[in-house]
């Protein structure tokens, strides 16, 4: 199978059979995308009794993977040629079960599966909770059966490849924020995949939703938003706050009762300003996950977003609840998949699909193109 590999530019150690397809900017750093041929790996059903062998058919990269790539680049660069300078990327995938361990009970050969990143509780005794893999682009994976769930037949593979973390995280956040039809909800960074999942899952609940975005949207893109959502532009590139008129209107109407924010280091101060008494704020991440990320964000914006005195005062005066969220439970993932399968939730669109020979384009579109909307997919199935 031809797969996407990543190396430092001008890697010191030659790697047999690797073909560089292009260099890609990731934050303020540069990595090289490459194609590498990897055959089916050995799998012993007795040695791995509770595990399965998976052939990756398609994968995607989320914002978290951006920081993983940069950390891997740091590690490979520090090796100074002492080891083969190659790594792989991707924590979301859809794959096919090729072989199973002798004590596997939940999966069968031929099943289509996606990762279960259940956290903080372990999915099975002796199994680590959290992300199943950071290296899905290697093409072949051996994983414990509890780290996987089957995909409903109604969901195409290219769609399923980008569902796992978004479904699990968004469903968990909505559950933990206790959203009802009476809520007035603000969702920040509306073009981020996490926010798109949250917006989609808020539709069946019926809550009134405002979505902020610093990027412009085409009329066609606006039409993909549910009818309970109002798109709120942020007028200046160096601000992460709705324009003053809209902000005053929010406050005058009593504020929003809940805020979903994928990047707390951009929006926290703005969020607490716009919230109502007893409002709930929930976040699952930050922009500056690595020193090479967030370099284009103004220091004044970051200072305002993390103004601890102001945020604490708003918390106390308004009796706010600030909630951190990491991934979710298996039930969150399965419930969300059922919602997608039966049409109650329309997941974010597939933005584009690339093959491994276009790995540099896949990474560039995933990590650098601000006009991307939805998941960018790297497809292996049927490509050799």
């Amino acid at each position: 199978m031809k797969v996407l590999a990543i190396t430092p530019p001008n890697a010191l150690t030659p790697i047999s059979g690797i073909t560089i397809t292009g260099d890609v900017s990731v934050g303020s750093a540069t990595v090289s995308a490459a194609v590498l041929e990897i055959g089916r790996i050995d799998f012993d059903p007795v040695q791995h009794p509770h595990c399965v062998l998976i052939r990756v058919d398609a994968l995607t990269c989320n914002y978290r993977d951006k920081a993983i790539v940069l950390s891997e680049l740091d590690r490979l660069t520090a090796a100074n040629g002492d080891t083969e300078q190659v790594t792989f990327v991707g924590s979301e995938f859809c794959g096919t079960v090729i072989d199973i361990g002798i004590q596997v009970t939940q999966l069968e050969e031929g099943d289509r599966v996606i990762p279960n990143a259940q956290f903080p509780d372990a999915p099975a005794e002796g199994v680590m909770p959290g992300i199943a893999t950071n290296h899905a682009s290697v093409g072949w994976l051996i994983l414990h059966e509890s780290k996987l769930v089957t995909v409903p037949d109604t969901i195409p593979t290219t769609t399923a490849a980008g569902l796992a973390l978004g479904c699990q995280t968004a469903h968990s956040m909505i559950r933990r924020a206790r959203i009802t039809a009476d809520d007035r909800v603000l969702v920040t960074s509306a073009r981020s995949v996490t926010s798109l999942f949250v917006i989609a899952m808020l539709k069946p609940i019926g809550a009134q939703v405002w979505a902020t975005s610093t990027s412009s949207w085409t009329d066609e893109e606006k039409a993909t938003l549910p009818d309970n959502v109002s798109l709120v532009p942020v007028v200046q590139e160096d601000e992460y706050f709705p324009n003053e008129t809209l902000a005053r209107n929010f406050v005058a109407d009593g504020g929003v009762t809940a805020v979903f924010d994928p990047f707390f280091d951009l929006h926290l101060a703005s969020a607490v300003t716009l919230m109502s008494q007893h409002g709930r704020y929930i976040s699952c991440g930050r922009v500056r996950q690595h020193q090479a990320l967030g370099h284009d964000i103004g220091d004044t914006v970051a200072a305002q977003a993390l103004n601890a005195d102001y945020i604490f005062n708003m918390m106390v005066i308004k009796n706010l609840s600030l909630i951190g969220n990491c991934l979710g439970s298996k039930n969150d993932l399965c419930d969300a998949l059922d919602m997608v399968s039966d049409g109650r939730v329309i997941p974010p669109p597939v933005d584009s699909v690339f093959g491994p020979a276009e790995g540099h384009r896949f990474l560039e579109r995933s990590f650098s193109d601000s006009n991307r909307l939805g998941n960018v997919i790297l497809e292996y199935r049927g490509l050799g």
Side-chain angles (χ1 to χ4, degrees):
M1 178 191 296
K2 290 180 172 62
V3 304
L4 168 64
I6 294 174
T7 72
N10 305 311
L12 298 176
T13 305
I15 300 163
S16 176
I18 201 166
T19 302
I20 304 297
T21 62
D23 291 344
V24 181
S25 295
V26 182
S28 60
T30 301
V31 301
S32 293
V35 173
L36 187 62
E37 183 80 30
I38 295 184
R40 172 174 168 169
I41 61 177
D42 292 335
F43 178 79
D44 185 337
V46 176
Q47 184 180 356
H48 301 285
H50 297 285
C51 295
V52 300
L53 173 66
I54 302 159
R55 182 195 67 221
V56 175
D57 297 324
L59 64 123
T60 190
C61 286
N62 52 55
Y63 191 82
R64 173 186 173 279
D65 290 310
K66 200 171 183 177
I68 296 293
V69 167
L70 291 167
S71 296
E72 289 285 276
L73 180 64
D74 292 341
R75 178 182 64 82
L76 294 174
T77 303
N80 292 322
D82 294 336
T83 184
E84 285 195 340
Q85 293 181 293
V86 63
T87 189
F88 303 91
V89 67
S91 52
E92 294 188 85
F93 65 87
C94 180
T96 301
V97 175
I98 302 301
D99 202 352
I100 66 173
I102 59 172
Q103 295 186 40
V104 168
T105 60
Q106 302 172 30
L107 299 171
E108 298 178 352
E109 291 181 23
D111 282 348
R112 283 190 315 148
V113 292
I114 61 174
N116 167 30
Q118 178 168 306
F119 188 87
D121 298 325
E125 185 177 353
V127 178
M128 291 290 292
I131 302 296
T133 181
N134 289 322
H135 303 109
S137 75
V138 74
W140 297 94
L141 301 169
I142 297 175
L143 293 173
H144 194 279
E145 63 175 329
S146 68
K147 301 294 290 185
L148 301 159
V149 297
T150 56
V151 180
D153 292 339
T154 55
I155 303 177
T157 293
T158 49
T159 299
L163 289 184
L165 299 190
C167 277
Q168 202 160 29
T169 300
H171 193 279
S172 173
M173 292 173 77
I174 291 170
R175 170 176 58 81
R176 295 186 63 210
R178 307 183 310 280
I179 302 301
T180 71
D182 295 329
D183 276 307
R184 295 158 48 86
V185 180
L186 179 67
V187 181
T188 64
S189 293
R191 293 183 78 94
S192 76
V193 173
T194 299
S195 291
L196 289 172
F197 271 107
V198 169
I199 289 168
M201 290 187 191
L202 288 170
K203 167 62 177 174
I205 296 173
Q208 188 175 7
V209 179
W210 290 268
T212 65
S213 178
T214 56
S215 302
S216 59
W217 292 56
T218 66
D219 289 341
E220 183 179 4
E221 289 171 341
K222 292 176 184 176
T224 66
L225 294 172
D227 55 15
N228 63 323
V229 177
S230 299
L231 188 62
V232 179
V234 178
V235 290
Q236 295 183 17
E237 286 294 326
D238 59 347
E239 293 183 1
Y240 295 86
F241 197 83
N243 66 59
E244 287 189 12
T245 300
L246 284 167
R248 283 198 300 270
N249 289 342
F250 279 138
V251 175
D253 289 342
V256 293
T257 57
V259 176
F260 291 83
D261 180 12
F263 304 122
F264 87 93
D265 49 346
L266 293 186
H267 305 114
L268 183 51
S270 301
V272 297
T273 302
L274 300 178
M275 291 173 70
S276 68
Q277 282 286 331
H278 303 287
R280 294 96 70 201
Y281 167 95
I282 187 164
S283 179
C284 59
R286 63 187 304 166
V287 167
R288 288 173 166 161
Q289 295 185 27
H290 186 277
Q291 60 189 11
L293 297 178
H295 63 282
D296 55 343
I297 297 169
D299 290 338
T300 55
V301 171
Q304 179 197 20
L306 297 176
N307 184 331
D309 286 344
Y310 176 76
I311 292 166
F312 181 78
N313 287 340
M314 290 294 100
M315 287 172 54
V316 172
I317 293 169
K318 296 184 178 182
N319 293 283
L320 302 180
S321 297
L322 270 60
I323 306 167
N325 188 88
C326 185
L327 301 167
S329 68
K330 182 178 180 180
N331 286 340
D332 286 316
L333 175 57
C334 292
D335 287 351
L337 282 178
D338 287 343
M339 295 169 74
V340 172
S341 179
D342 65 21
R344 282 175 289 159
V345 164
I346 307 299
V350 172
D351 174 272
S352 47
V353 180
F354 298 98
E358 305 168 296
H360 56 296
R361 295 180 59 201
F362 164 74
L363 292 174
E364 185 173 57
R365 185 70 177 167
S366 297
F367 293 153
S368 302
D369 287 351
S370 61
N371 63 339
R372 179 192 75 252
L373 188 69
N375 285 305
V376 182
I377 303 300
L378 184 68
E379 186 172 24
Y380 289 168
R381 182 184 54 181
L383 298 176

